[in-house]
Amino acid sequence: MPNKKMYIRLISATVFMLSSVLFATCSTSKSGVEKKTPEPTSTDSVKEFVPLHPPVVIPHSWKDAK
């Protein structure tokens, strides 16, 4: 059986490398999210309403029942 210290060093080196890779990926993904925040668009900024179609008028007389 190979040396027990060798396995401990190998495991500790692996844990160190994986944790540093995880830290690097998390920090880069966080900085990307902060830069990509979209500006809110305001639909209430239109001063005059422009209709998309003419008004629909259904002819009725005042005698017609509802």
Side-chain angles (χ1 to χ4, degrees):
M1 184 170 155
N3 212 353
K4 210 173 196 182
K5 287 184 180 181
M6 184 181 75
Y7 284 122
I8 292 173
R9 287 182 185 169
L10 181 64
I11 290 173
S12 63
T14 305
V15 168
F16 176 74
M17 290 296 288
L18 289 176
S19 64
S20 54
V21 167
L22 179 66
F23 176 74
T25 56
C26 288
S27 65
T28 56
S29 67
K30 271 191 171 182
S31 64
V33 169
E34 292 173 4
K35 292 178 184 176
K36 293 182 180 179
T37 53
E39 295 181 11
T41 56
S42 176
T43 56
D44 296 332
S45 63
V46 179
K47 294 183 179 180
E48 185 179 336
F49 177 72
V50 179
L52 300 176
H53 57 80
V56 178
V57 179
I58 301 172
H60 289 289
S61 72
W62 63 275
K63 296 179 183 178
D64 290 340
K66 289 186 180 183

